[in-house]
Amino acid sequence: MGRLLYELGRVDEKRRIANERGSNKMGKSSFSWAWELDGTQEERERGITMDIALQTLVTTHRVITILDAPGHKDFIPNMISGASQADSALLVVDAAVGEFEAGFERGGQTREHLLLVRSLGVGQVIVAVNKLDQVEWSKARYEEICAVLKPFLLQSGFHPSKTRFVPVAAMEGVNLARAEPVTSPLYQWYKGPTLVDLLDALDPPIRDINTPLRFPISNVFKGQTSGISVSGRVCGGIIVAGERLRIIPGDESATVKAIDSDGESLPWAGAGSNVNVTLTGVDPISLNIGSVLCRPSHLIPLTSTFTARIIVFDIQVPITAGASIELFHHSRDVPASISRLISVLDRSNGSIIKTKPRVLTKNMSAEVEISLRNSTYAGPASRALPIPLEPFSVNKEMGRILIRRVGETIGAGVVTELLT
């Protein structure tokens, strides 16, 4: 992404040279472009993305907010937090022999990332086949990777018309923002659009600004002036500077002092916008990642037990009633359990195939009851704190969930009914 931002003029020459010198000094010269988005000392020392980085780029017809998400399996929770704020996905795969295979084999991150973003409602994906310069610009290698990914994308729920592939060599800047010259080795077999052309052609989603305001907090930090700032995505309605909002869960309220996007101050922001909001008149201890800002007249409900319609992924150990899981909803992850297996559903039409199944196995669709667990394990009398959640039928973005177990994503689905 660093090289793409440079090609589009978002990174100046002075910044590029500074990143190059800094990475060389650490003995990680090949990571100089990544430094533009990997801003923390630990990320730069380890050479991996660990947290979400946000940048904006402008194409001919689009202003695009880039959420650079970590790919390493240790930071999947952060990746989920980023994916839950996305409209489209840009998947970068390594064309080097052995590297693509390692990412795509069972348990590989390429598979998991595609399943995660589709489960979180992302319907468009661009696959950038990178590092083709390391395989001598082989057309056969590019087509081999495309042939492997296309059926998996279809199986994961991506429609072929919403899936595009593009060959690139990001380190060299090849086919990112400008078409290659006739003398280029890539031009000998590829004369299609560049990566920026595909980004520019993405379909903008429909924004529902008439629903009640829902603003899940993905990060909390000290503002540049007075007040405390939070970042996130508006998942319904509009947020307006100057208004007083409730923070759920809790009884606290806060005043919106300012709204900004990429350094630009805004009077308001609508559904789908990724913004920073500066709040005043609130104790910072009341602001937590996963809390939701909403209007006092339309509070988001709290729940600790609900039913959900889920799809079970390619798992080895079946899911049974009482199974302990990690529940992911936007930037929040909480301990929970699948308290009841209600029914197995037909994946094509949602009709009930079997009621009260004993187990759920891979690729099944099912309706289940999920109950939150108390993370302190303070005894049977302790009760889990409820979280803000809405049925998918009320708000699609606030009704999507992911289920993980022992570091593996085992399923995803939508909330159907809030019980308690």
Side-chain angles (χ1 to χ4, degrees):
M1 291 311 306
R3 180 67 195 239
L4 178 62
L5 292 168
Y6 175 73
E7 293 290 330
L8 292 173
R10 295 287 297 176
V11 178
D12 58 29
E13 193 66 19
K14 182 179 178 182
R15 185 76 170 262
R16 182 193 71 80
I17 292 171
N19 287 341
E20 193 173 281
R21 284 176 178 167
S23 59
N24 282 337
K25 195 173 179 180
M26 277 194 180
K28 294 184 178 292
S29 58
S30 61
F31 292 96
S32 63
W33 292 114
W35 274 35
E36 186 56 36
L37 291 161
D38 293 346
T40 69
Q41 185 72 12
E42 188 176 2
E43 284 180 313
R44 292 180 171 186
E45 287 176 354
R46 295 180 63 177
I48 56 173
T49 301
M50 297 168 65
D51 209 343
I52 299 296
L54 193 145
Q55 268 280 9
T56 302
L57 57 86
V58 180
T59 65
T60 307
H61 302 103
R62 302 277 182 268
V63 177
I64 298 171
T65 300
I66 296 289
L67 292 154
D68 184 37
H72 196 279
K73 63 182 180 181
D74 289 350
F75 306 105
I76 285 289
N78 291 345
M79 186 268 170
I80 292 171
S81 175
S84 67
Q85 302 174 57
D87 297 311
S88 306
L90 170 59
L91 176 72
V92 182
V93 298
D94 192 334
V97 177
E99 292 297 324
F100 170 74
E101 287 75 10
F104 193 72
E105 67 186 13
R106 194 187 179 286
Q109 294 309 290
T110 303
R111 277 178 178 268
E112 184 166 18
H113 289 170
L114 286 171
L115 286 170
L116 288 174
V117 294
R118 186 66 194 100
S119 301
L120 290 166
V122 174
Q124 302 179 90
V125 62
I126 297 170
V127 180
V129 183
N130 191 25
K131 300 186 181 179
L132 277 171
D133 53 321
Q134 295 187 13
V135 291
E136 299 179 346
W137 307 102
S138 170
K139 180 183 179 183
R141 178 60 173 166
Y142 173 72
E143 291 179 341
E144 177 191 359
I145 291 171
C146 293
V148 170
L149 283 174
K150 281 177 180 176
F152 182 76
L153 286 165
L154 184 62
Q155 178 190 339
S156 301
F158 290 98
H159 194 276
S161 64
K162 301 289 187 182
T163 305
R164 301 298 301 272
F165 291 82
V166 60
V168 298
M171 287 286 286
E172 309 300 324
V174 174
N175 208 39
L176 294 182
R178 285 178 288 277
E180 291 306 295
V182 180
T183 54
S184 164
L186 180 61
Y187 186 85
Q188 307 311 310
W189 55 269
Y190 182 83
K191 301 172 179 64
T194 64
L195 175 57
V196 169
D197 291 336
L198 294 182
L199 291 171
D200 190 55
L202 288 169
D203 295 328
I206 297 170
R207 310 296 194 190
D208 192 353
I209 62 172
N210 296 315
T211 56
L213 170 66
R214 301 291 183 253
F215 186 85
I217 296 172
S218 62
N219 199 9
V220 182
F221 53 97
K222 185 168 173 47
Q224 293 183 348
T225 55
S226 61
I228 191 91
S229 291
V230 297
S231 63
R233 172 188 168 94
V234 184
C235 292
I238 60 172
I239 186 168
V240 182
E243 67 178 336
R244 190 88 178 154
L245 299 176
R246 276 286 298 276
I247 304 160
I248 302 294
D251 300 320
E252 293 291 326
S253 298
T255 300
V256 178
K257 181 182 179 183
I259 304 168
D260 81 83
S261 175
D262 196 34
E264 180 184 352
S265 182
L266 304 172
W268 63 277
S273 303
N274 295 86
V275 293
N276 296 328
V277 178
T278 303
L279 302 172
T280 58
V282 62
D283 188 338
I285 201 169
S286 304
L287 294 167
N288 298 297
I289 292 173
S291 295
V292 178
L293 300 181
C294 49
R295 292 196 174 86
S297 57
H298 292 93
L299 298 180
I300 186 169
L302 291 166
T303 184
S304 57
T305 305
F306 59 92
T307 59
R309 185 167 292 185
I310 66 168
I311 291 176
V312 181
F313 293 164
D314 185 12
I315 59 174
Q316 297 297 302
V317 180
I319 298 171
T320 57
S324 296
I325 58 168
E326 262 190 294
L327 177 72
F328 284 79
H329 178 253
H330 284 274
S331 298
R332 181 189 293 274
D333 62 288
V334 292
S337 62
I338 297 180
S339 48
R340 191 157 57 100
L341 306 182
I342 300 170
S343 59
V344 175
L345 307 173
D346 187 312
R347 287 186 68 168
S348 59
N349 57 28
S351 61
I352 296 175
I353 298 173
K354 182 181 180 181
T355 57
K356 298 181 180 178
R358 292 180 61 192
V359 296
L360 300 179
T361 56
K362 67 179 182 179
N363 301 325
M364 275 188 173
S365 178
E367 182 148 6
V368 299
E369 180 182 285
I370 296 175
S371 301
L372 303 188
R373 288 186 291 111
N374 193 315
S375 57
T376 59
Y377 299 104
S382 63
R383 187 164 179 264
L385 295 174
I387 62 171
L389 207 61
E390 277 184 304
F392 184 74
S393 58
V394 176
N395 186 312
K396 288 182 170 59
E397 292 194 45
M398 296 303 296
R400 295 186 189 275
I401 57 167
L402 282 170
I403 300 167
R404 303 192 88 221
R405 177 179 64 187
V406 198
E408 178 188 21
T409 306
I410 61 172
V414 297
V415 177
T416 52
E417 184 184 1
L418 308 183
L419 300 178
T420 60

